[in-house]
Amino acid sequence: MAGNTFGTALRLTTAGESHGPGYVGILDGMPPGLELSEADLQPDLDRRRPGQSRLTTQRNEPDECRILSGVFEGKTTGTPIAFLIENRDQRPRDYSEIKDKYRPGHADYTFDAKYGFRDYRGGGRSSARETSVRVAAAAVAKKLLRERWGVEIVGYVKSIGDIEGRIDDPAAVTLDQVEANPVRCPDQEAASRMAELIERMRSERDSVGGISELVATGVPPGWGEPVFDKLKADLGKALFSLPAVLGVEYGAGFGVARARGSENNDPFEMREGSVSTRSNRHGGMLGGISSGQPIVLRCAVKPTSSLPQPQDTVTRAGEPTTIATKGRHDPCLLPRFVPMGEAMIALVLADHGLRQVAVSDVLG
Amino acid sequence: MAGNTFGTALRLTTAGESHGPGYVGILDGMPPGLELSEADLQPDLDRRRPGQSRLTTQRNEPDECRILSGVFEGKTTGTPIAFLIENRDQRPRDYSEIKDKYRPGHADYTFDAKYGFRDYRGGGRSSARETSVRVAAAAVAKKLLRERWGVEIVGYVKSIGDIEGRIDDPAAVTLDQVEANPVRCPDQEAASRMAELIERMRSERDSVGGISELVATGVPPGWGEPVFDKLKADLGKALFSLPAVLGVEYGAGFGVARARGSENNDPFEMREGSVSTRSNRHGGMLGGISSGQPIVLRCAVKPTSSLPQPQDTVTRAGEPTTIATKGRHDPCLLPRFVPMGEAMIALVLADHGLRQVAVSDVLG
Amino acid sequence: MAGNTFGTALRLTTAGESHGPGYVGILDGMPPGLELSEADLQPDLDRRRPGQSRLTTQRNEPDECRILSGVFEGKTTGTPIAFLIENRDQRPRDYSEIKDKYRPGHADYTFDAKYGFRDYRGGGRSSARETSVRVAAAAVAKKLLRERWGVEIVGYVKSIGDIEGRIDDPAAVTLDQVEANPVRCPDQEAASRMAELIERMRSERDSVGGISELVATGVPPGWGEPVFDKLKADLGKALFSLPAVLGVEYGAGFGVARARGSENNDPFEMREGSVSTRSNRHGGMLGGISSGQPIVLRCAVKPTSSLPQPQDTVTRAGEPTTIATKGRHDPCLLPRFVPMGEAMIALVLADHGLRQVAVSDVLG
Amino acid sequence: MAGNTFGTALRLTTAGESHGPGYVGILDGMPPGLELSEADLQPDLDRRRPGQSRLTTQRNEPDECRILSGVFEGKTTGTPIAFLIENRDQRPRDYSEIKDKYRPGHADYTFDAKYGFRDYRGGGRSSARETSVRVAAAAVAKKLLRERWGVEIVGYVKSIGDIEGRIDDPAAVTLDQVEANPVRCPDQEAASRMAELIERMRSERDSVGGISELVATGVPPGWGEPVFDKLKADLGKALFSLPAVLGVEYGAGFGVARARGSENNDPFEMREGSVSTRSNRHGGMLGGISSGQPIVLRCAVKPTSSLPQPQDTVTRAGEPTTIATKGRHDPCLLPRFVPMGEAMIALVLADHGLRQVAVSDVLG
């Protein structure tokens, strides 16, 4: 009911607040026998953590994650895997003003409306710091996907503001290309201009939005369920469950609205003995089930709501006022969004991979 | 696991195929005491059913729905409500060719990849006819929303191909305006041009996509859960669970990607004693929780995949071939999409309304 | 929330009331490729249906079940299977008195307390007729268990009142032995005395309780989950979800309360190359996971609450009164309980069989 | 799927192993506004923890529980509450022998059969130490039940071996009476003899089983769902999910098997203006829904499987051998079972209390 669990065959439950003792996650449903240690989690945690580059918030969190259960002698046991990420750089004083004022674009007012009161320290449960434990758990899902099915997930920044990166083939982008710059745009030239724009936003005490594109390759055909749990539906939910996402599309996306059927359909053809499609406007999913083609998704991410410049708002008591956020914030969320988006896709794909085992391996 | 159930507090389970005996739905979790009869379901079923106008497929289905349980002496009893919609106009012979050929844009191949074989008659389980029972169940959800909380849901066609309707205030569009023309675009002049375009598509044996916008007004602030079950996430899943949807956005949607925070944030202000926002770029949800402002969503719907013109494809055996669909199909899905989209929004909102009762009414 | 769905990988959702149009069930999660027709369901439906022998209620219901979906060309397709059992012998007038009086031992009062009012015709949703659709769905589960894993489930009556059948080896009892008499006790001599007792109860306008024992053989070791979804826990829930069950035990059951560890533990030993146990006081489950030994359970079933003799009670308005139930009722529930108990065990075992596939078949 | 989550509206997820770093639990769905601190959890943790008296194992665990989230300024916030109980007195060397031998009555073999290997240290995930985090979470549920609905849950030991305590009125037993002796039997004279029996078992290197009776008073009529999620079904599952429980019954329990309907039915009568029953053979539930009478349950708990005397068994390789458990164990599980049983009942009742809010408070 309260919605802190995600997934069906592979289920992640999270808890924790931005300025409490830390975050906890429990990943239930991982099969036994996967080699796993904390070292598997840290690379993605480092990609997500604050303070990783000049472009991001300077909150200093190492985001070290302890595995508390579910691993024995270096392998998963089949029992639930618990993650603990302690908060280190809490500064409650930074957030004292937001106790009584509603920050525009944030969940302060809606939390009060929902619960009657809220943990106002740094956004409490609504803070994007909650995604740290998702990223940790998803690192396990990514490893399962890679070792069991050869699935790889790579996300990147496609555009920031008016600057768009040129990506000829989404399915060919590599993690190395993405990590070659702090913006995480594989078009290195565009990435430089994006970095400049982000710096300018910081100096202008403003923020800017963008689009992240995410690609999963190697997904076998047949994953996803035909009706409510279509793969596109579960991916859509997963990505919309991330903070700041206002739009999700896959394949030709909103472009289909202007297209004709005769140009939008991807003809089937044989390639290396397998049923394939000539093009990939369908984004790797037909009828909500994977087609074997690369799964390509895009998320629209809004500009950071927290701004150091004064914005009009009201107090809890209903008095008009202004607020200028004093905390440490990213002037653009996109670079750190990439590992979050990948994480949610990994959780969905691993879940559906496990679900498909129970469909295809039973009556043979 | 198999994903034929949707919702948490209010759960809909469906079964049925396009050319089997019929469709069944079970709606579990409706509170007792709501006045209900089959007559409450028929208006939305009529808006969704085939053959309703020249613009849609001519399959002749009355889509009459029997309520088999959960209602006694004209009121819901609190026990599950079962719906039965029998198929009448089955013509299996129309579909004999698709037994061995994969229709581009359809789920034929992915079903085979998933299950090893498929009920090929008219798409079987992947047919959009499955949404009939969703629409029936959602009519109950709409009634609960209206009577208990004053929530209204209105959807309409915003664009088809290059023709865009002009909608000054999404929250002011009425059902009467939408139903005034068979296209379901409240801009009557644009609707005429859209109708012409759809007719042209039919004569050219082609199809065309479009965008539907859907609005929920009267949703109290506080609905939705903070993390995975954000209202936007559950709405996203709901809409992506509909056939042909390749993109979903809310509020400013993909437009946020080019925006700055200083222009994107909606300042809070008091209006009639309540916390409100000066604008509604946030689309009625902040932190995934309803803000009290109208919830505004848009779906990108692809052009119908079934085309009467030959398209390249392969057979089940992997031989290249062409297929021209001979069945009865809509040249544009948008007019009939509107009640489907409304239905999914109604199911999500009623679910979250009931969930919020258990949050807010317990400790007072 | 409203609890009309059962299971995790294999999920059954039911709807329907005793004197409404009929019962509906949707079984979701059956793998594709199992041969299936209505003829597979009828034998167990006939074992459960009223009017099958002189010992049971004379309500005349054929309990014919239509399959409305999920089967194509004689095989399951992997999509949900819907069942419809129409009510034929409704006699609402028989039940007019219970509209305003609370029958002792029945759910009349508790339904009113829960919902504010109730469908009072024949118990409405609380009627044991709801189990008909469980039995239909479980016939599919039984077939999957038999064909995929060689699991067989046989239940029987162990005692009625003071008469106890002698069963030397529960795992050796066959369906033929059980069905050789209308009581369903494989000790044919005891069965005769039980039949006499039941007849006497009817003539004395009374009823009597008993114990049913149920055995599953061929369950591979490793089914069940270690913590909350222990196999014994899910079986316990399943059996307690049946009407009239006030006690469930497995293996040595309540007998363990007087035992010492040195005599209660079943020593492990090798048998035909497999780890086995010398005895089966553990009832086939250790740590909540199947051990490969026969699973043996017992249910205590209360005497029918409906009695043709006057019983003290109160009206809805709180006035003291008496009620003598005029409807058609079984003087002993045990003979018809057997297929219900088997059905619930089949649903649980098939569910856990499918769940285990996703554990054991993933990383090899 | 993997079954480490329990509940519907109130959900507990646990992780952890006996000799890993510790146990984690996440309780999701607690309403906001309940006063809560670690001090609320410790009393029940102390009743469950090892080393509490001469009668229990001497493993020395303080079982101190940290709350990591979901509480702010002394009150629950409505967000998930995470619990962390670190293991302190791990002695892996004690358990080296069980790596390769299957302990009779334990889950060693079934875990190997399920997962292919296991964390063999102290039973790993199958250890009853997992219940510590259930007891912590249930202390929150108990507080909600008490403060919101006036529900109290008291469990006690009814019998150990052949010694049965005399309890005139289960609903009148108080926590003080239970805690007056280390056996937790409110019949103080019987408790003394039970303590002697337990001491004798220890000296004889044996163990003994018993029965625990558990009572919930103050439960309003109307809790529980009519079909699968009957209150008795969810309670049955909850209690069978505890280690060592081989039987569960409520009210007259297995006694109904010998009873007649005319003596088993509890007549309704008015008491203080409310519908009540003259007796309580129905154990507080009718049709699976609470009747307003005390809920009375009993669990059969087997003798401890771990014995310091040699028992026949086999090795992982299938060689016959013997094993005498050298670890620290309770010669009788009953005294420490009481808080575990209460905990599971509290989780079920709080869950159904919250579920009923969404039924009764909506259209009322």
Side-chain angles (χ1 to χ4, degrees):
Chain A
M1 293 277 287
N4 294 286
T5 297
F6 184 82
T8 298
L10 184 68
R11 298 165 70 86
L12 174 64
T13 303
T14 76
E17 280 89 24
S18 176
H19 285 70
Y23 286 91
V24 173
I26 298 178
L27 184 68
D28 199 18
M30 270 302 296
L34 185 76
E35 290 189 15
L36 190 71
S37 76
E38 274 97 349
D40 291 305
L41 318 178
Q42 206 58 45
D44 274 348
L45 284 167
D46 287 345
R47 294 170 75 209
R48 197 218 69 90
R49 81 177 180 85
Q52 65 183 263
S53 79
R54 295 186 54 216
L55 300 180
T56 64
T57 169
Q58 295 307 303
R59 177 168 173 168
N60 184 16
E61 287 288 353
D63 280 354
E64 286 167 2
C65 181
R66 281 180 72 198
I67 293 176
L68 297 181
S69 67
V71 177
F72 181 60
E73 297 184 341
K75 289 189 177 178
T76 59
T77 59
T79 61
I81 306 170
F83 307 91
L84 174 62
I85 300 173
E86 292 184 78
N87 291 326
R88 298 289 168 78
D89 190 14
Q90 301 123 296
R91 300 188 196 170
R93 282 160 301 179
D94 283 352
Y95 294 97
S96 54
E97 195 187 30
I98 66 176
K99 178 178 176 182
D100 294 315
K101 293 180 180 178
Y102 292 133
R103 292 171 299 165
H106 277 284
D108 303 339
Y109 168 63
T110 57
F111 264 61
D112 269 8
K114 181 172 194 66
Y115 298 118
F117 72 110
R118 72 185 193 280
D119 177 350
Y120 48 76
R121 300 166 302 169
R125 183 71 178 147
S126 74
S127 167
R129 244 185 101 55
E130 183 269 339
T131 62
S132 60
V133 77
R134 305 195 201 186
V135 166
V140 187
K142 279 184 177 179
K143 195 167 185 185
L144 173 68
L145 288 165
R146 184 179 302 120
E147 302 204 353
R148 175 62 179 80
W149 294 288
V151 172
E152 294 287 342
I153 299 162
V154 174
Y156 48 83
V157 173
K158 186 169 175 61
S159 72
I160 291 182
D162 292 324
I163 307 170
E164 186 164 350
R166 181 174 160 178
I167 317 292
D168 290 326
D169 180 2
V173 173
T174 65
L175 181 62
D176 283 350
Q177 290 168 349
V178 175
E179 296 301 311
N181 62 69
V183 176
R184 296 203 166 87
C185 175
D187 174 343
Q188 309 298 332
E189 186 276 329
S192 299
R193 288 185 290 132
M194 290 172 178
E196 284 165 29
L197 176 60
I198 295 173
E199 290 289 357
R200 185 151 55 85
M201 287 302 103
R202 186 194 299 281
S203 67
E204 294 180 6
R205 298 186 301 171
D206 211 335
S207 62
V208 66
I211 291 174
S212 173
E213 190 162 67
L214 303 120
V215 183
T217 54
V219 178
W223 290 12
E225 300 295 331
V227 177
F228 296 115
D229 291 2
K230 287 181 166 77
L231 193 53
K232 62 173 181 161
D234 281 351
L235 287 168
K237 170 163 178 165
L239 293 168
F240 272 121
S241 81
L242 289 170
V245 174
L246 271 84
V248 174
E249 61 177 15
Y250 71 97
F254 273 84
V256 298
R258 293 169 180 268
R260 295 195 178 188
S262 56
E263 66 195 14
N264 191 61
N265 282 344
D266 299 308
F268 284 109
E269 62 181 21
M270 299 304 291
R271 206 179 297 166
E272 296 171 16
S274 295
V275 175
S276 181
T277 57
R278 200 171 295 159
S279 43
N280 190 17
R281 289 181 63 83
H282 71 283
M285 298 179 280
L286 285 169
I289 301 173
S290 60
S291 69
Q293 301 305 306
I295 293 175
V296 183
L297 295 139
R298 280 173 299 282
C299 296
V301 178
K302 73 176 179 180
T304 319
S305 299
S306 299
L307 298 178
Q309 60 177 277
Q311 296 183 278
D312 290 347
T313 190
V314 297
T315 65
R316 290 195 77 189
E319 300 296 318
T321 184
T322 64
I323 187 166
T325 316
K326 299 200 191 73
R328 302 151 291 178
H329 298 283
D330 302 81
C332 179
L333 301 170
L334 271 296
R336 293 178 61 206
F337 177 83
V338 169
M340 301 178 201
E342 290 175 7
M344 292 314 297
I345 291 172
L347 290 171
V348 171
L349 290 179
D351 182 53
H352 276 282
L354 293 171
R355 290 164 79 164
Q356 179 60 8
V357 171
V359 173
S360 60
D361 288 15
V362 176
L363 287 166
Chain B
M1 292 277 287
N4 294 287
T5 297
F6 184 83
T8 299
L10 184 69
R11 298 165 71 84
L12 174 64
T13 303
T14 76
E17 284 93 25
S18 177
H19 286 70
Y23 287 91
V24 173
I26 298 179
L27 184 68
D28 199 18
M30 271 300 298
L34 184 76
E35 290 190 15
L36 189 71
S37 76
E38 275 98 349
D40 292 305
L41 318 177
Q42 207 57 45
D44 274 347
L45 284 167
D46 287 345
R47 295 170 74 209
R48 195 217 71 90
R49 81 176 179 85
Q52 65 182 266
S53 79
R54 295 187 54 215
L55 300 180
T56 64
T57 169
Q58 295 306 303
R59 177 168 174 168
N60 185 16
E61 287 287 354
D63 281 355
E64 286 167 2
C65 182
R66 281 180 72 199
I67 294 176
L68 297 181
S69 67
V71 177
F72 181 61
E73 297 184 341
K75 289 189 177 178
T76 59
T77 59
T79 61
I81 305 169
F83 307 91
L84 174 62
I85 299 174
E86 292 184 77
N87 291 327
R88 298 287 168 80
D89 191 13
Q90 301 125 295
R91 300 187 196 171
R93 282 160 301 180
D94 283 351
Y95 295 97
S96 56
E97 195 188 29
I98 66 176
K99 178 179 176 181
D100 294 314
K101 294 180 179 178
Y102 293 132
R103 293 171 297 165
H106 277 284
D108 303 338
Y109 167 62
T110 56
F111 265 61
D112 269 7
K114 181 173 195 66
Y115 298 118
F117 72 110
R118 71 186 194 281
D119 178 350
Y120 48 76
R121 301 166 300 170
R125 183 71 179 147
S126 73
S127 167
R129 244 186 102 55
E130 182 269 340
T131 62
S132 61
V133 77
R134 305 196 201 186
V135 166
V140 188
K142 279 184 177 178
K143 196 165 184 185
L144 174 68
L145 287 165
R146 184 180 301 122
E147 301 204 354
R148 176 61 180 79
W149 293 288
V151 172
E152 293 288 343
I153 299 162
V154 174
Y156 48 84
V157 173
K158 186 169 175 62
S159 72
I160 291 182
D162 292 324
I163 307 169
E164 186 163 352
R166 180 174 162 179
I167 317 293
D168 291 326
D169 179 2
V173 174
T174 66
L175 180 62
D176 283 349
Q177 290 167 348
V178 175
E179 296 301 310
N181 62 69
V183 176
R184 295 204 167 88
C185 175
D187 175 341
Q188 309 299 331
E189 187 276 329
S192 298
R193 288 185 289 133
M194 290 172 179
E196 284 165 28
L197 175 59
I198 295 172
E199 290 288 357
R200 185 151 55 85
M201 288 300 103
R202 185 194 300 279
S203 67
E204 295 179 5
R205 299 185 301 170
D206 212 335
S207 62
V208 64
I211 292 174
S212 173
E213 189 162 69
L214 303 119
V215 183
T217 53
V219 177
W223 289 12
E225 300 295 331
V227 178
F228 296 114
D229 292 2
K230 287 181 166 76
L231 193 53
K232 62 173 181 160
D234 281 351
L235 287 167
K237 169 163 180 165
L239 293 167
F240 273 120
S241 81
L242 289 169
V245 174
L246 271 85
V248 175
E249 61 177 15
Y250 71 97
F254 273 84
V256 298
R258 293 167 182 271
R260 296 196 177 186
S262 55
E263 64 196 14
N264 191 60
N265 282 344
D266 300 308
F268 284 110
E269 63 180 21
M270 298 304 291
R271 206 180 297 164
E272 295 171 17
S274 295
V275 175
S276 182
T277 58
R278 200 171 295 159
S279 43
N280 189 17
R281 290 180 63 83
H282 71 283
M285 298 179 280
L286 286 169
I289 301 172
S290 61
S291 70
Q293 301 305 305
I295 292 175
V296 183
L297 296 137
R298 279 173 301 282
C299 296
V301 178
K302 73 175 178 181
T304 319
S305 299
S306 300
L307 297 178
Q309 60 176 278
Q311 296 183 277
D312 289 347
T313 189
V314 297
T315 66
R316 289 195 77 189
E319 299 298 316
T321 185
T322 62
I323 188 167
T325 314
K326 298 199 192 73
R328 301 151 292 178
H329 298 283
D330 303 81
C332 179
L333 302 170
L334 271 295
R336 293 177 60 205
F337 177 83
V338 168
M340 301 179 200
E342 290 175 7
M344 293 314 298
I345 292 172
L347 289 172
V348 171
L349 290 179
D351 183 53
H352 277 281
L354 292 171
R355 289 164 80 165
Q356 179 61 8
V357 171
V359 173
S360 60
D361 287 15
V362 177
L363 286 165
Chain C
M1 293 278 288
N4 294 286
T5 297
F6 184 83
T8 298
L10 184 68
R11 299 165 70 85
L12 174 64
T13 303
T14 76
E17 284 92 26
S18 177
H19 285 70
Y23 287 91
V24 174
I26 297 178
L27 184 68
D28 199 18
M30 270 302 297
L34 185 75
E35 289 189 16
L36 189 70
S37 76
E38 275 97 349
D40 291 304
L41 318 178
Q42 206 57 46
D44 274 348
L45 284 168
D46 287 345
R47 295 171 74 211
R48 196 218 70 90
R49 81 176 179 85
Q52 65 182 266
S53 79
R54 295 186 54 217
L55 300 180
T56 64
T57 168
Q58 295 307 303
R59 177 168 173 168
N60 184 17
E61 287 287 354
D63 281 355
E64 285 167 2
C65 181
R66 281 180 71 199
I67 294 177
L68 297 181
S69 67
V71 177
F72 180 61
E73 296 183 342
K75 289 189 177 179
T76 59
T77 60
T79 60
I81 305 170
F83 308 91
L84 174 62
I85 299 173
E86 291 185 78
N87 291 326
R88 298 287 167 79
D89 191 14
Q90 302 123 296
R91 300 188 196 170
R93 283 159 302 180
D94 284 351
Y95 294 97
S96 55
E97 195 188 29
I98 67 176
K99 178 179 176 181
D100 294 314
K101 293 180 181 179
Y102 293 132
R103 292 171 298 165
H106 277 285
D108 303 339
Y109 168 63
T110 56
F111 264 60
D112 269 8
K114 182 172 194 67
Y115 298 118
F117 72 110
R118 72 187 194 279
D119 177 349
Y120 48 76
R121 301 166 302 169
R125 184 70 180 147
S126 73
S127 167
R129 242 185 103 53
E130 183 269 339
T131 61
S132 61
V133 77
R134 304 195 201 187
V135 166
V140 188
K142 279 185 178 179
K143 195 165 185 186
L144 174 68
L145 287 164
R146 184 180 302 122
E147 302 203 354
R148 175 63 180 79
W149 293 288
V151 172
E152 294 288 342
I153 299 161
V154 174
Y156 48 83
V157 173
K158 187 170 174 60
S159 72
I160 291 182
D162 292 323
I163 307 170
E164 185 164 351
R166 179 175 162 178
I167 317 292
D168 291 327
D169 180 1
V173 174
T174 66
L175 180 63
D176 283 350
Q177 290 168 348
V178 175
E179 295 301 310
N181 62 68
V183 176
R184 296 205 165 86
C185 175
D187 175 343
Q188 309 299 333
E189 186 275 328
S192 298
R193 287 186 289 133
M194 290 172 179
E196 284 165 29
L197 176 60
I198 295 172
E199 290 289 356
R200 186 151 53 86
M201 287 302 104
R202 186 194 298 282
S203 67
E204 293 180 8
R205 298 186 303 170
D206 211 335
S207 63
V208 65
I211 292 174
S212 173
E213 190 162 67
L214 303 121
V215 183
T217 53
V219 177
W223 289 13
E225 300 294 332
V227 177
F228 296 114
D229 292 3
K230 287 180 165 78
L231 193 53
K232 63 173 180 160
D234 281 351
L235 288 168
K237 170 163 178 164
L239 293 168
F240 272 121
S241 81
L242 289 169
V245 174
L246 271 84
V248 174
E249 61 178 13
Y250 72 97
F254 273 84
V256 298
R258 292 169 182 269
R260 295 194 178 189
S262 55
E263 65 195 15
N264 190 61
N265 282 344
D266 299 309
F268 284 109
E269 63 181 19
M270 298 305 291
R271 207 179 297 166
E272 296 171 17
S274 295
V275 175
S276 183
T277 57
R278 200 171 296 159
S279 44
N280 189 16
R281 291 179 63 84
H282 71 283
M285 298 178 281
L286 285 170
I289 300 173
S290 61
S291 69
Q293 301 305 306
I295 293 175
V296 182
L297 295 139
R298 280 174 300 283
C299 296
V301 178
K302 73 176 179 182
T304 319
S305 299
S306 298
L307 297 178
Q309 62 177 276
Q311 297 183 276
D312 289 347
T313 189
V314 297
T315 67
R316 290 196 76 190
E319 300 297 317
T321 184
T322 62
I323 188 166
T325 314
K326 299 199 192 71
R328 300 152 291 177
H329 298 282
D330 303 80
C332 178
L333 302 170
L334 272 295
R336 293 177 61 206
F337 177 83
V338 169
M340 301 179 200
E342 290 175 9
M344 293 314 297
I345 291 172
L347 290 172
V348 171
L349 290 179
D351 182 53
H352 277 281
L354 292 171
R355 289 164 80 165
Q356 179 61 7
V357 171
V359 173
S360 60
D361 288 16
V362 176
L363 287 166
Chain D
M1 293 278 288
N4 294 286
T5 297
F6 184 84
T8 298
L10 185 69
R11 298 165 70 86
L12 174 63
T13 303
T14 75
E17 281 89 23
S18 177
H19 285 71
Y23 287 91
V24 172
I26 298 178
L27 184 69
D28 199 18
M30 271 301 297
L34 184 77
E35 290 190 14
L36 189 72
S37 76
E38 275 97 349
D40 291 304
L41 318 178
Q42 207 57 47
D44 274 347
L45 284 168
D46 288 345
R47 295 171 74 210
R48 196 216 71 91
R49 80 176 180 84
Q52 64 182 268
S53 78
R54 295 187 54 215
L55 300 181
T56 64
T57 169
Q58 296 307 303
R59 178 169 172 166
N60 185 16
E61 287 288 353
D63 281 354
E64 285 167 2
C65 181
R66 281 180 71 198
I67 294 175
L68 297 181
S69 67
V71 177
F72 181 61
E73 297 184 340
K75 289 189 178 178
T76 59
T77 60
T79 61
I81 305 170
F83 307 92
L84 173 63
I85 300 173
E86 292 184 77
N87 290 327
R88 298 288 167 79
D89 190 14
Q90 301 124 295
R91 300 187 195 170
R93 283 159 301 180
D94 284 352
Y95 294 98
S96 55
E97 195 188 29
I98 66 175
K99 177 179 176 181
D100 294 314
K101 293 180 180 178
Y102 292 133
R103 292 171 297 164
H106 277 284
D108 302 340
Y109 168 63
T110 56
F111 265 61
D112 268 8
K114 182 173 194 66
Y115 298 118
F117 71 110
R118 71 186 194 280
D119 177 350
Y120 49 76
R121 300 167 302 170
R125 184 68 180 148
S126 74
S127 167
R129 242 185 102 54
E130 182 269 341
T131 61
S132 60
V133 76
R134 304 194 201 187
V135 166
V140 187
K142 279 184 178 178
K143 195 166 185 185
L144 174 68
L145 287 165
R146 184 180 301 122
E147 301 203 355
R148 176 62 180 79
W149 294 288
V151 172
E152 294 287 343
I153 299 162
V154 174
Y156 47 84
V157 173
K158 186 169 175 60
S159 72
I160 291 181
D162 292 322
I163 307 170
E164 186 163 351
R166 179 174 162 178
I167 316 293
D168 291 327
D169 180 2
V173 173
T174 65
L175 180 63
D176 283 350
Q177 290 168 349
V178 175
E179 296 300 311
N181 62 69
V183 177
R184 296 206 166 86
C185 175
D187 175 342
Q188 309 298 332
E189 187 276 329
S192 298
R193 288 185 290 133
M194 291 172 180
E196 284 165 28
L197 175 60
I198 295 172
E199 290 288 357
R200 185 149 56 84
M201 288 300 103
R202 186 194 299 280
S203 67
E204 294 180 5
R205 298 185 302 170
D206 212 335
S207 62
V208 66
I211 292 174
S212 173
E213 190 162 68
L214 303 120
V215 184
T217 54
V219 177
W223 289 13
E225 300 294 333
V227 178
F228 296 114
D229 292 3
K230 288 182 165 76
L231 193 53
K232 62 173 181 162
D234 281 352
L235 287 167
K237 169 163 179 162
L239 293 167
F240 272 120
S241 81
L242 289 169
V245 174
L246 270 83
V248 174
E249 61 177 14
Y250 71 97
F254 273 83
V256 297
R258 294 169 181 269
R260 296 196 177 187
S262 56
E263 66 195 15
N264 191 61
N265 283 344
D266 300 309
F268 284 109
E269 62 181 20
M270 299 304 291
R271 206 178 297 164
E272 294 172 19
S274 295
V275 175
S276 182
T277 57
R278 201 171 294 159
S279 43
N280 189 17
R281 289 180 63 84
H282 71 283
M285 297 178 281
L286 285 168
I289 301 172
S290 61
S291 69
Q293 301 305 306
I295 293 175
V296 182
L297 296 138
R298 280 174 300 283
C299 296
V301 178
K302 73 175 179 181
T304 318
S305 299
S306 299
L307 297 179
Q309 60 176 278
Q311 298 182 276
D312 290 347
T313 190
V314 297
T315 66
R316 289 196 76 190
E319 301 296 319
T321 185
T322 62
I323 188 165
T325 314
K326 299 201 191 72
R328 302 151 289 178
H329 297 283
D330 303 81
C332 179
L333 302 170
L334 271 295
R336 293 177 61 205
F337 177 83
V338 169
M340 300 179 201
E342 290 175 6
M344 292 313 297
I345 292 172
L347 290 172
V348 170
L349 290 179
D351 183 52
H352 277 280
L354 292 172
R355 289 164 80 165
Q356 179 60 9
V357 170
V359 173
S360 60
D361 288 15
V362 176
L363 287 165

